[in-house]
Amino acid sequence: MHHSHILLPDDDLRSAEMRVIALLRAWNTNLDAQTAMWEDLQTSLGAARARSCLQAFEQMLQLLAKHSWRPLTIMPMGTKGMTPDEAALARFVMASTEQRRDTALAEARFLVSPSALLPLLCAASRFGLPLLCEECRARILTPSVKTPLN
């Protein structure tokens, strides 16, 4: 029996959430995709920040691999839309980063066993912070559109 995945629209995602999903997909694809993502992060964040971001990301993945209730469904790169697992993880990372602890812990309960909740929360916030900074920097550096006054 073949199961098809139900994909959620990804049109309303913030850039930091899209980055979380892109990293998940790259790490699930192959070494070339991981290298490309690393180079992109390095260019955007700088070497030191990119390194600490990826270390936290890998720690988060290790915790998920060890304590997850079930394997997460991660789609291949280039897929339009996202799985409920990808959406939940992106929401969790952003809630952790933005210090919405109750929301983050509620999301994490569906991802991992109780013993991994706090370590996962910590890793996710360290992973998400550089991505959130990247999003803020992009907003500031994007030239605003000026409209003539009537």
Side-chain angles (χ1 to χ4, degrees), residues 56-116:
F57 175 67
E58 289 176 335
Q59 182 184 13
M60 187 181 77
L61 290 181
Q62 289 169 354
L63 287 164
L64 286 167
K66 185 175 182 181
H67 299 281
S68 185
W69 294 114
R70 60 177 179 70
L72 299 177
T73 303
I74 308 297
M75 298 306 291
M77 291 179 66
T79 303
K80 180 73 176 143
M82 62 187 162
T83 67
D85 290 340
E86 291 171 330
L89 200 54
R91 281 191 310 266
F92 167 70
V93 169
M94 287 301 103
S96 299
T97 303
E98 295 168 337
Q99 300 300 306
R100 293 181 286 126
R101 190 177 179 107
D102 291 338
T103 302
L105 288 172
E107 289 284 348
R109 285 185 185 109
F110 292 102
L111 298 171
V112 296
S113 63
S115 63

Side-chain angles (χ1 to χ4, degrees), residues 131-146:
L131 304 181
L132 197 57
C133 290
E134 176 186 41
E135 178 182 83
C136 292
R137 236 183 349 271
R139 250 184 310 196
I140 291 170
L141 297 177
T142 302
S144 59
V145 177
K146 298 190 186 226

Side-chain angles (χ1 to χ4, degrees), residues 6-10 12-13 21 25 80-84 86-87:
I6 297 173
L7 296 179
L8 306 171
D10 58 3
D12 59 341
L13 288 180
I21 293 171
R25 290 177 177 182
K80 180 73 176 143
M82 62 187 162
T83 67
E86 291 171 330

